[in-house]
Each structure stands twice: as C-alpha cells, then as structure tokens.
Amino acid sequence: GAGVSQSPSNKVTEKGKDVELRCDPISGHTALYWYRQSLGQGLEFLIYFQGNSAPDKSGLPSDRFSAERTGGSVSTLTIQRTQQEDSAVYLCASSLGPFVSGDADTQYFGPGTRLTVL
Amino acid sequence: AQKITQTQPGMFVQEKEAVTLDCTYDTSDPSYGLFWYKQPSSGEMIFLIYQGSYDQQNATEGRYSLNFQKARKSANLVISASQLGDSAMYFCAMREVYMDSSYKLIFGSGTRLLVRP
C-alpha cells in the first residue's frame, strides 16, 4: 500500500514568513509523529498525535511552531515567522498506534520536507 | 545524558564482508523497544529491524541481525554479506513510554557506512 507522503518536498522561504508542511500518514495508522533533522541537532522529536489529539508536544522548540491533525489522518505543521535556525528536514512518521505490541508499532517515515529559510 | 550512543561516526567495510554497528542505550523504563533505521543519500528513513526489551531471542531480518545484550544495554546491528547498496547512514533509536502518553523515538547520532567494492 501507499507509504507516508509529505508535501512539499522542498520549501525555500524568506525569514519572517509563515510556512505549512503537510503529512499524509499510512491509511489506518492512528499515531503520527513529526521529527526534525538538522546537521547540528541530529534527529529531534517535535510532536506526537494519537488520533486528532496531541498528548506529547514536548519537542516543539518555540510557540512559533504548531501542528494539527484532522479526521485522524492528514497533519499540518505550521511554522510562523520563520528563522534561519528553522532550516532543516522535517520528517513525518506514522504507526498503528500504542495499543499494539512489539514491532507492530513500528514508525514508518515519509520522504521529508527540506525547509530552507533565507 | 545521552540516551542513545553511537560511537562510530563512520565505518568502512569490504563488499561481501560482515560489519557491526554499535549502539548503547540508557533507560530506566523496563519496557522499551529498540529500532534500527537506514537513511540512504536520498534521505528517506527505512526501518530495518526491531528488538523488544522482553524478547528472549536476538532479532533477525534477512541480512540484518541485532546483537542484543540487555545487561550491557547494547543493541548492535550486524549486517552480513555487505552490498554496495548498504552504503548509507544508520540510526539506532529507542522507544520509551512516558506517562503512557508518548511513544516517540529517541535517536542516536548515526553511523555512516561505506561499502567498498
């Protein structure tokens, strides 16, 4: 079946602009995660959704970052007033959810969105 | 403190030989999962293998096996019969449960593997 998809694949924006990044999880996956990958910080967790609610937002670096998920499916990560340090690859992953055991809750990743803030 | 440590920033291996990528972890949670992902130059993260903290046997998946030493808190990835297509970045990751509300992955810094022909 189809994997996790993300759009756009690349986004170049000017400092101070707002950006929206989209993630379409694997059908039937109730859990959705956003991560950020940058040269200096490696792979960092941002936010976790179970259904439409976000029990863990602890990784969001500032209040300029927000995310929502609608219909238990598509998620949007919004970065307001972008800064140069926001430049990174934003990765989305989905999994069946926490109520399955072992490797059944493996997270599968999308191809990422490369964000460049000029 | 680092929760996941990968001490080998880069590794070389000759084609058709086996290679071990090291990973140590730190957790006080009795229930956790350990994952290895491969990230080729294309950037996608590809799931390779999983080991649960209560699993008695080491996980295997084709040419990949996980050398799980629970007492030493290590979960090394072994790739047998290396192929040129194995050249990539490899990440070790751990899933803990925080207050039953999050299943996020914590990643190591990665090991870049280069397979020589």
Side-chain angles (χ1 to χ4, degrees), chain A residues 6-26:
Chain A
Q6 293 185 246
S7 61
S9 54
N10 278 287
K11 177 72 177 178
V12 179
T13 190
E14 293 179 348
K15 178 181 171 181
K17 301 277 191 183
D18 297 352
V19 295
E20 283 190 353
L21 312 180
R22 177 188 167 107
C23 172
D24 276 278
I26 293 171

mmCIF file of all heavy atoms in Angstrom, chain A residues 6-26:
data_model
loop_
_atom_site.group_PDB
_atom_site.id
_atom_site.type_symbol
_atom_site.label_atom_id
_atom_site.label_comp_id
_atom_site.label_asym_id
_atom_site.label_seq_id
_atom_site.Cartn_x
_atom_site.Cartn_y
_atom_site.Cartn_z
ATOM 1 N N GLN A 6 4.627 13.336 2.107
ATOM 2 C CA GLN A 6 4.798 14.678 2.647
ATOM 3 C C GLN A 6 4.889 15.669 1.503
ATOM 4 O O GLN A 6 5.426 15.360 0.439
ATOM 5 C CB GLN A 6 6.076 14.776 3.492
ATOM 6 C CG GLN A 6 6.041 13.965 4.763
ATOM 7 C CD GLN A 6 7.270 14.173 5.621
ATOM 8 O OE1 GLN A 6 8.073 13.256 5.819
ATOM 9 N NE2 GLN A 6 7.419 15.381 6.149
ATOM 10 N N SER A 7 4.373 16.856 1.759
ATOM 11 C CA SER A 7 4.488 17.917 0.765
ATOM 12 C C SER A 7 4.647 19.263 1.442
ATOM 13 O O SER A 7 4.161 19.453 2.570
ATOM 14 C CB SER A 7 3.253 17.927 -0.149
ATOM 15 O OG SER A 7 2.086 18.161 0.610
ATOM 16 N N PRO A 8 5.369 20.197 0.811
ATOM 17 C CA PRO A 8 6.159 19.963 -0.397
ATOM 18 C C PRO A 8 7.425 19.173 -0.070
ATOM 19 O O PRO A 8 7.763 18.990 1.085
ATOM 20 C CB PRO A 8 6.493 21.391 -0.844
ATOM 21 C CG PRO A 8 6.582 22.162 0.441
ATOM 22 C CD PRO A 8 5.528 21.561 1.343
ATOM 23 N N SER A 9 8.139 18.743 -1.092
ATOM 24 C CA SER A 9 9.401 18.045 -0.833
ATOM 25 C C SER A 9 10.499 19.038 -0.482
ATOM 26 O O SER A 9 11.396 18.742 0.298
ATOM 27 C CB SER A 9 9.808 17.200 -2.036
ATOM 28 O OG SER A 9 9.849 17.988 -3.194
ATOM 29 N N ASN A 10 10.395 20.219 -1.068
ATOM 30 C CA ASN A 10 11.344 21.294 -0.781
ATOM 31 C C ASN A 10 10.589 22.600 -0.619
ATOM 32 O O ASN A 10 9.617 22.847 -1.335
ATOM 33 C CB ASN A 10 12.340 21.476 -1.938
ATOM 34 C CG ASN A 10 13.483 20.490 -1.863
ATOM 35 O OD1 ASN A 10 14.366 20.602 -1.031
ATOM 36 N ND2 ASN A 10 13.439 19.511 -2.733
ATOM 37 N N LYS A 11 11.043 23.417 0.322
ATOM 38 C CA LYS A 11 10.421 24.718 0.530
ATOM 39 C C LYS A 11 11.515 25.718 0.865
ATOM 40 O O LYS A 11 12.269 25.531 1.815
ATOM 41 C CB LYS A 11 9.406 24.650 1.677
ATOM 42 C CG LYS A 11 8.751 25.972 2.027
ATOM 43 C CD LYS A 11 7.771 26.404 0.981
ATOM 44 C CE LYS A 11 7.055 27.688 1.378
ATOM 45 N NZ LYS A 11 6.110 28.149 0.321
ATOM 46 N N VAL A 12 11.582 26.763 0.055
ATOM 47 C CA VAL A 12 12.509 27.853 0.329
ATOM 48 C C VAL A 12 11.666 29.070 0.684
ATOM 49 O O VAL A 12 10.733 29.418 -0.042
ATOM 50 C CB VAL A 12 13.411 28.162 -0.878
ATOM 51 C CG1 VAL A 12 14.354 29.314 -0.555
ATOM 52 C CG2 VAL A 12 14.202 26.921 -1.284
ATOM 53 N N THR A 13 11.969 29.699 1.799
ATOM 54 C CA THR A 13 11.184 30.838 2.238
ATOM 55 C C THR A 13 12.101 31.916 2.783
ATOM 56 O O THR A 13 13.279 31.669 3.070
ATOM 57 C CB THR A 13 10.159 30.401 3.306
ATOM 58 O OG1 THR A 13 9.241 31.470 3.551
ATOM 59 C CG2 THR A 13 10.850 30.050 4.622
ATOM 60 N N GLU A 14 11.543 33.089 2.922
ATOM 61 C CA GLU A 14 12.315 34.189 3.481
ATOM 62 C C GLU A 14 12.064 34.280 4.989
ATOM 63 O O GLU A 14 10.953 33.985 5.465
ATOM 64 C CB GLU A 14 11.919 35.496 2.803
ATOM 65 C CG GLU A 14 12.314 35.564 1.347
ATOM 66 C CD GLU A 14 11.885 36.866 0.705
ATOM 67 O OE1 GLU A 14 11.090 37.612 1.320
ATOM 68 O OE2 GLU A 14 12.335 37.137 -0.424
ATOM 69 N N LYS A 15 13.061 34.711 5.668
ATOM 70 C CA LYS A 15 12.945 34.903 7.111
ATOM 71 C C LYS A 15 11.727 35.757 7.432
ATOM 72 O O LYS A 15 11.477 36.778 6.780
ATOM 73 C CB LYS A 15 14.222 35.578 7.623
ATOM 74 C CG LYS A 15 14.245 35.884 9.103
ATOM 75 C CD LYS A 15 15.548 36.571 9.475
ATOM 76 C CE LYS A 15 15.498 37.078 10.904
ATOM 77 N NZ LYS A 15 16.745 37.775 11.290
ATOM 78 N N GLY A 16 10.953 35.299 8.429
ATOM 79 C CA GLY A 16 9.778 36.053 8.841
ATOM 80 C C GLY A 16 8.479 35.569 8.228
ATOM 81 O O GLY A 16 7.391 35.929 8.714
ATOM 82 N N LYS A 17 8.565 34.771 7.176
ATOM 83 C CA LYS A 17 7.348 34.255 6.544
ATOM 84 C C LYS A 17 6.840 33.032 7.306
ATOM 85 O O LYS A 17 7.594 32.364 8.022
ATOM 86 C CB LYS A 17 7.628 33.855 5.094
ATOM 87 C CG LYS A 17 8.145 34.976 4.223
ATOM 88 C CD LYS A 17 7.022 35.819 3.712
ATOM 89 C CE LYS A 17 7.534 36.769 2.642
ATOM 90 N NZ LYS A 17 6.474 37.666 2.148
ATOM 91 N N ASP A 18 5.572 32.713 7.110
ATOM 92 C CA ASP A 18 4.978 31.508 7.685
ATOM 93 C C ASP A 18 5.035 30.383 6.655
ATOM 94 O O ASP A 18 4.909 30.628 5.448
ATOM 95 C CB ASP A 18 3.520 31.746 8.069
ATOM 96 C CG ASP A 18 3.362 32.807 9.143
ATOM 97 O OD1 ASP A 18 4.379 33.269 9.717
ATOM 98 O OD2 ASP A 18 2.197 33.182 9.416
ATOM 99 N N VAL A 19 5.193 29.151 7.129
ATOM 100 C CA VAL A 19 5.178 28.001 6.222
ATOM 101 C C VAL A 19 4.286 26.908 6.805
ATOM 102 O O VAL A 19 4.131 26.791 8.023
ATOM 103 C CB VAL A 19 6.586 27.418 5.961
ATOM 104 C CG1 VAL A 19 7.458 28.414 5.230
ATOM 105 C CG2 VAL A 19 7.252 26.949 7.236
ATOM 106 N N GLU A 20 3.713 26.123 5.901
ATOM 107 C CA GLU A 20 2.910 24.962 6.289
ATOM 108 C C GLU A 20 3.461 23.717 5.619
ATOM 109 O O GLU A 20 3.674 23.708 4.398
ATOM 110 C CB GLU A 20 1.448 25.162 5.864
ATOM 111 C CG GLU A 20 0.671 26.099 6.742
ATOM 112 C CD GLU A 20 -0.822 26.075 6.422
ATOM 113 O OE1 GLU A 20 -1.210 25.428 5.425
ATOM 114 O OE2 GLU A 20 -1.579 26.698 7.170
ATOM 115 N N LEU A 21 3.670 22.696 6.415
ATOM 116 C CA LEU A 21 4.171 21.423 5.906
ATOM 117 C C LEU A 21 3.092 20.375 6.139
ATOM 118 O O LEU A 21 2.481 20.331 7.213
ATOM 119 C CB LEU A 21 5.459 21.027 6.638
ATOM 120 C CG LEU A 21 6.543 22.107 6.765
ATOM 121 C CD1 LEU A 21 7.754 21.565 7.505
ATOM 122 C CD2 LEU A 21 6.942 22.652 5.417
ATOM 123 N N ARG A 22 2.899 19.517 5.138
ATOM 124 C CA ARG A 22 1.785 18.572 5.199
ATOM 125 C C ARG A 22 2.271 17.141 5.254
ATOM 126 O O ARG A 22 3.290 16.801 4.644
ATOM 127 C CB ARG A 22 0.895 18.769 3.969
ATOM 128 C CG ARG A 22 -0.268 17.805 3.844
ATOM 129 C CD ARG A 22 -0.970 17.962 2.512
ATOM 130 N NE ARG A 22 -1.878 16.851 2.256
ATOM 131 C CZ ARG A 22 -3.204 16.957 2.322
ATOM 132 N NH1 ARG A 22 -3.772 18.115 2.629
ATOM 133 N NH2 ARG A 22 -3.962 15.921 2.064
ATOM 134 N N CYS A 23 1.537 16.325 5.982
ATOM 135 C CA CYS A 23 1.870 14.906 6.090
ATOM 136 C C CYS A 23 0.600 14.068 5.921
ATOM 137 O O CYS A 23 -0.404 14.312 6.601
ATOM 138 C CB CYS A 23 2.495 14.600 7.448
ATOM 139 S SG CYS A 23 2.732 12.826 7.772
ATOM 140 N N ASP A 24 0.665 13.082 5.030
ATOM 141 C CA ASP A 24 -0.404 12.106 4.864
ATOM 142 C C ASP A 24 0.095 10.764 5.374
ATOM 143 O O ASP A 24 0.979 10.168 4.752
ATOM 144 C CB ASP A 24 -0.782 11.969 3.390
ATOM 145 C CG ASP A 24 -1.753 13.010 2.940
ATOM 146 O OD1 ASP A 24 -2.952 12.829 3.182
ATOM 147 O OD2 ASP A 24 -1.298 14.008 2.355
ATOM 148 N N PRO A 25 -0.443 10.272 6.475
ATOM 149 C CA PRO A 25 0.077 9.023 7.040
ATOM 150 C C PRO A 25 -0.414 7.811 6.261
ATOM 151 O O PRO A 25 -1.265 7.923 5.381
ATOM 152 C CB PRO A 25 -0.505 9.024 8.450
ATOM 153 C CG PRO A 25 -1.811 9.750 8.297
ATOM 154 C CD PRO A 25 -1.558 10.812 7.263
ATOM 155 N N ILE A 26 0.111 6.676 6.618
ATOM 156 C CA ILE A 26 -0.368 5.413 6.052
ATOM 157 C C ILE A 26 -1.805 5.188 6.528
ATOM 158 O O ILE A 26 -2.121 5.424 7.704
ATOM 159 C CB ILE A 26 0.537 4.244 6.491
ATOM 160 C CG1 ILE A 26 1.926 4.414 5.854
ATOM 161 C CG2 ILE A 26 -0.072 2.902 6.134
ATOM 162 C CD1 ILE A 26 2.973 3.443 6.369
#
